[in-house]
Amino acid sequence: MPGFSTDCIHTDAAIARVPDAVQPIGVSTTFRYPKDLEAFQEAINNPAPGVLPLVGNPVYLRLSSPGSEAVEAVLSKILKGHAVVYNSGLLAFFAAMTRLNPKRIAKHKCYHGCHVILDIFTRLTHLEQIDLDDWEQLEAGDVLHLELPVNPEGIAYDIALWAERAHSKGALLVVDSTFAPPPLQDAFEQGADLVMHLATKYLGGHSDLLAGVLVTKDPEVKVKLLEERVYLGTNIGNLESFLLLRLLRSLKVRVLQQSASATAIAKWLDSQVGVLPALAKVYHLLLQTDAFIKTQMPGGFNPTFSIEVASEEIARALPDRLEYFYHATLLGGVESLIEWRTLLDEHAPKTLLRISVGLEDVEDLIEDLRQALALFS
Ligand SMILES: *Cc1c(COP(=O)(O)O)cnc(C)c1O
């Protein structure tokens, strides 16, 4: 069987429509019907089980496009399921909630935008939102939602344990694996029923597109998600599918390097707690000792983590004193970012800075952090 990167680079060749080594940027929203209308009607009326009739026969961008189908082919392969791609991460989450429509959802503190989506469902469907610790109230058809590793602190829960708890109640486990892109973590291995990734983050990795993906092991669920996507109008756009396909080619080398650099930086930062007074605490999976961490993230630790500094004033001022870490929200890109998280997340401690490690040389990143922290020490 081909390896991960080979799949990233070659999977969609089987459905390529032109012989170009790089598939062209599509600009069309509509596609001519084939001349053989009888065969076309037959394909639509009697699709193979688990196949949406018009996949492979693009007719209109809102349904699918050669670009979205190529992206889905690659993502299905590397995420080991049936992938459906969306025009943003939050809309992927919205689509998951629309499909599952649970009466109750158990969750921990997750991405603030996901909380807002859940509040919309509470308004529309009286969805009851409960804390993860109250999971025993879950019933059949409910959802347990994990976002791992947790944003912004970058700590993890035991997916296998929570899968067991959800399933013991007949509930489904949804895992937002954005902070642990492939090949770092495969939440299906630990029992997840639906896996979500924000392609806006690591899968794209160049801070130049919005997209999201849901992955299911059940081909019938994929068909339902595709059918609903048609009417939610949330398929990925043509330029974004071109960019995402291009960026997926280098996913493994990017993510493994970002993970290795982040781990080295976190290790160095941890060694400076008590040495540089400006630095108060480091949150990174490296420092979490639970036994499940090693099996849950066999590919390496997450490249985004957080630190706490000694005061709110330092947290406010420090990002501006860094050369290579831009002060901006987002994570997963080739450029390193740092963010005073309280600006966008009211629940984040005021002394917390989130760090997304990019692809600069790790020595330069460490030196940048050292000089900035020293300024306030
Ligand atoms: C960024 C992020 C989202 C939202 O993704 P968009 O593509 O910006 O819509 C959702 N969940 C998590 C964990 C995120 O980090």
Side-chain angles (χ1 to χ4, degrees), residues 88-90 111 114 147 176 178-179 196 198 200-201 210-211 331:
S88 81
L90 274 186
Y111 181 73
C114 294
E147 185 182 295
D176 179 341
T178 297
F179 276 61
M196 179 169 129
L198 291 308
T200 310
K201 312 290 168 63
L210 292 182
L331 52 117

Side-chain angles (χ1 to χ4, degrees), residues 33-319:
Y33 292 120
K35 291 234 183 312
D36 186 348
L37 283 182
E38 249 173 70
F40 179 70
Q41 282 179 300
E42 173 63 19
I44 293 179
N45 295 335
N46 296 306
V51 174
L52 189 75
L54 291 167
V55 166
N57 302 292
V59 298
Y60 184 46
L61 180 60
R62 184 151 48 71
L63 285 71
S64 78
S65 67
S68 70
E69 290 178 16
V71 166
E72 281 166 355
V74 172
L75 289 174
S76 296
K77 198 60 169 275
I78 63 171
L79 294 167
K80 301 180 185 145
H82 303 277
V84 180
V85 69
Y86 295 87
N87 54 13
S88 81
L90 274 186
L91 286 171
F93 185 60
F94 188 88
M97 292 303 297
T98 304
R99 170 92 304 266
L100 301 175
N101 192 22
K103 286 200 174 55
R104 228 169 267 102
I105 186 165
K107 53 163 180 68
H108 57 91
K109 180 176 81 71
C110 50
Y111 181 73
H112 65 101
C114 294
H115 284 292
V116 177
I117 298 277
L118 292 178
D119 290 344
I120 291 173
F121 278 88
T122 296
R123 182 163 62 79
L124 297 177
T125 71
H126 307 291
L127 168 72
E128 190 187 339
Q129 303 180 39
I130 62 174
D131 194 77
L132 208 53
D133 292 333
D134 298 326
W135 63 274
E136 283 183 270
Q137 294 172 22
L138 291 172
E139 292 174 10
D142 288 343
V143 165
L144 197 150
H145 180 73
L146 293 179
E147 185 182 295
L148 292 178
V150 178
N151 176 22
E153 291 87 354
I155 51 169
Y157 296 103
D158 183 348
I159 301 176
L161 174 70
W162 288 100
E164 206 179 289
R165 288 177 174 171
H167 295 158
S168 75
K169 297 289 177 185
L172 295 172
L173 176 65
V174 177
V175 176
D176 179 341
S177 216
T178 297
F179 276 61
L184 301 184
Q185 172 176 287
D186 176 3
F188 284 131
E189 293 260 316
Q190 274 86 39
D193 298 293
L194 194 64
V195 175
M196 179 169 129
H197 285 274
L198 291 308
T200 310
K201 312 290 168 63
Y202 289 98
L203 302 188
H206 288 66
S207 314
D208 56 7
L209 74 107
L210 292 182
V213 59
L214 292 178
V215 197
T216 164
K217 289 281 191 190
D218 181 347
E220 298 301 329
V221 172
K222 169 162 181 166
V223 170
K224 294 275 184 253
L225 288 171
L226 285 171
E227 281 171 358
E228 286 170 357
R229 188 184 67 179
V230 173
Y231 300 104
L232 293 172
T234 48
N235 189 20
I236 190 169
N238 275 326
L239 178 62
E240 281 75 12
S241 62
F242 168 81
L243 285 172
L244 183 51
L245 189 63
R246 186 167 93 108
L247 298 168
L248 283 171
R249 308 299 194 204
S250 58
L251 180 64
K252 183 175 168 181
V253 285
R254 281 191 283 112
V255 167
L256 291 188
Q257 182 59 53
Q258 284 172 292
S259 169
S261 296
T263 303
I265 293 170
K267 206 179 260 181
W268 176 79
L269 282 167
D270 192 51
S271 76
Q272 298 303 303
V273 176
V275 177
L276 291 166
L279 182 63
K281 185 167 176 157
V282 180
Y283 298 94
H284 188 274
L285 279 192
L286 175 74
L287 308 169
Q288 189 176 342
T289 50
D290 305 89
F292 71 84
I293 300 278
K294 280 211 170 67
T295 44
Q296 188 157 300
M297 299 196 66
F301 297 131
N302 48 306
T304 297
F305 63 99
S306 290
I307 56 173
E308 278 197 60
V309 289
S311 69
E312 182 179 341
E313 288 65 40
I314 297 177
R316 179 196 295 272
L318 188 127

Side-chain angles (χ1 to χ4, degrees), residues 1 5 168 345 351:
M1 265 216 318
S5 283
S168 75
D345 180 355
T351 50

Side-chain angles (χ1 to χ4, degrees), residues 340-359:
W340 188 30
R341 207 44 207 152
T342 190
L343 288 174
L344 281 195
D345 180 355
E346 56 180 319
H347 303 294
K350 296 206 180 331
T351 50
L352 186 134
L353 294 167
R354 187 177 75 186
I355 294 174
S356 165
V357 175
L359 285 178

